[in-house]
Amino acid sequence: MALSEFELIERYFAGRRAVAPNVLLGIGDDCALLKVPPGMTLAVSVDTSIAGVHFPDDMSPADVGYRSLAVNLSDLAAMGAQPSWFTLALTISRADEAWLSEFSAGLFELAERFSLPLVGGDVTRGPLSISIQVGGLIPDGKALLRSGARAGDAVYATGSLGDAAAALALRGDAQAGPSHRELFGRLHRPTPRIEAGMVLRDLASACIDVSDGLVADLGHVLKRSGVGARIELQCLPRSAAFRELAEQFAEPDALVLGGGDDYELCCTVPPEREVLLQARFAELQCPITRIGRVEAEPGLRCVDARGEDVPLRDAGYRHF
Ligand code: ADP
Ligand code: MG
């Protein structure tokens, strides 16, 4: 017999009821009741993932669950927030138990890594769409905004750039060595840089997560901050897997500069804090690379190893 809406919620979502600080009431009533401790600010964000737009139609249900939460957590990371709860509005075309089971396994695999409780949601019938709302806590006055970059600050990026775009470029490619698998892992299961964001609260002047590509996202920071920047093409961090496969890409530099979906953090750091930044990130074992410098003149410029200008396309995915 087909699963009823309530059975579905209980079996795949509510069953994972987690005890968490600041959650007075989770799933089961008309609303969840959540507490914001004194001295803390609540950061809230929502993102929708749609098949064929945000993830390929053939992505496994477990990866869809994992990725849908990861992209939301990345927004919390970019503000320096500690994740504290999430809600899930799920639209599915039918109650496919195998799909639901794998989807929820992927979703909770990531949620459990951050002891993050699911506190409510909604289930509706229609074309597959996953909306997740996340809440996180930040000590008052400590949120990392896009607007704080100042001329003279250094520009940094965590991890490596272009991997997810490289995986998309490799789709349909029959070979599948370890480097392929690594790049696909970056596309299917991005790592939200939560710990890095929390460390950056005391170090960065501005921060953003790279979801639309470095040029587009750093561009948002510069615009909000009323400044410009110069980045150096040869400094942009590329993973070993990316470098190994680079010759297969028509324009590897374009993937690094403009490719989205890596969910790394890009931040600006006043020069007097750079030594401390290096030390804190070494402790975290999180790679972070200086890629350029903030300048007073508006706009983003990129130079190659010979100091020559690299033309930048106004990249970034636009739905409309
Ligand atoms: P209402 O009609 O009041 O919106 P629902 O029947 O939609 O209530 O949901 C009943 C309870 O189950 C609520 O507490 C709601 O937050 C929770 N819930 C519904 N769908 C989900 C879901 N996908 N994940 C987690 N909780 C859910
Ligand atoms: Mg409802």
Side-chain angles (χ1 to χ4, degrees):
M1 212 183 77
L3 210 57
S4 80
E5 180 182 329
F6 297 109
E7 285 166 341
L8 185 163
I9 294 168
E10 189 56 39
R11 188 166 305 169
Y12 297 106
F13 302 106
R16 303 275 194 143
R17 231 168 243 127
V19 188
N22 308 316
V23 177
L24 304 180
L25 189 63
I27 294 172
D29 215 310
D30 294 310
C31 293
L33 297 176
L34 309 164
K35 219 173 169 60
V36 181
M40 302 296 273
T41 297
L42 177 64
V44 177
S45 176
V46 64
D47 266 305
T48 298
S49 297
I50 296 190
V53 178
H54 299 94
F55 56 87
D57 288 303
D58 59 0
M59 193 184 274
S60 80
D63 287 345
V64 171
Y66 190 103
R67 188 179 183 284
S68 301
L69 180 58
V71 303
N72 278 275
L73 291 179
S74 179
D75 283 320
L76 289 182
M79 299 294 285
Q82 160 113 58
S84 53
W85 48 258
F86 74 110
T87 62
L88 166 69
L90 182 64
T91 302
I92 43 179
S93 54
R94 61 198 178 91
D96 176 341
E97 290 213 53
W99 190 92
L100 283 162
S101 167
E102 285 180 48
F103 170 82
S104 68
L107 178 79
F108 286 110
E109 184 183 332
L110 182 59
E112 279 160 16
R113 183 172 315 162
F114 294 102
S115 305
L116 193 67
L118 176 62
V119 298
D122 199 22
V123 178
T124 49
R125 186 193 292 266
L128 179 61
S129 155
I130 303 122
S131 288
I132 290 181
Q133 180 185 39
V134 286
L137 295 170
I138 310 173
D140 288 343
K142 286 285 189 183
L144 286 168
L145 308 184
R146 294 180 180 185
S147 53
R150 296 293 170 260
D153 289 354
V155 182
Y156 279 85
T158 62
S160 54
L161 299 170
D163 293 335
L168 279 174
L170 289 169
R171 285 188 82 226
D173 191 329
Q175 4 159 348
S179 293
H180 270 69
R181 278 197 294 280
E182 200 178 312
L183 296 179
F184 276 95
R186 296 268 293 156
L187 176 67
H188 293 167
R189 295 196 168 214
T191 304
R193 295 286 189 186
I194 294 294
E195 296 85 359
M198 290 170 65
V199 162
L200 288 172
R201 279 198 307 234
D202 293 318
L203 297 167
S205 51
C207 188
I208 194 166
D209 64 320
V210 182
S211 54
D212 286 342
L214 178 69
V215 169
D217 289 319
L218 176 56
H220 295 314
V221 168
L222 301 177
K223 200 157 198 182
R224 281 299 193 92
S225 300
V227 291
R230 175 176 305 268
I231 55 174
E232 294 177 46
L233 186 60
Q234 84 275 13
C235 293
L236 301 181
R238 295 157 174 85
S239 67
F242 183 96
R243 280 184 270 119
E244 195 198 309
L245 298 174
E247 64 209 33
Q248 302 192 24
F249 311 131
E251 292 184 280
D253 292 341
L255 297 177
V256 177
L257 284 163
D261 298 328
D262 288 314
Y263 297 96
E264 296 293 353
L265 297 181
C266 176
C267 62
T268 59
V269 180
E272 66 274 14
R273 296 196 204 135
E274 286 185 75
V275 171
L276 188 55
L277 175 105
Q278 299 288 357
R280 299 296 313 275
F281 274 75
E283 279 166 33
L284 266 189
Q285 299 185 355
C286 176
I288 193 162
T289 309
R290 181 167 55 204
I291 60 170
R293 194 158 293 284
V294 179
E295 298 175 336
E297 188 193 338
L300 179 60
R301 292 159 291 280
C302 180
V303 292
D304 65 16
R306 288 165 305 177
E308 281 173 29
D309 282 330
V310 178
L312 296 177
R313 274 170 250 156
D314 180 20
Y317 189 86
R318 298 216 171 105
H319 289 269
F320 298 103

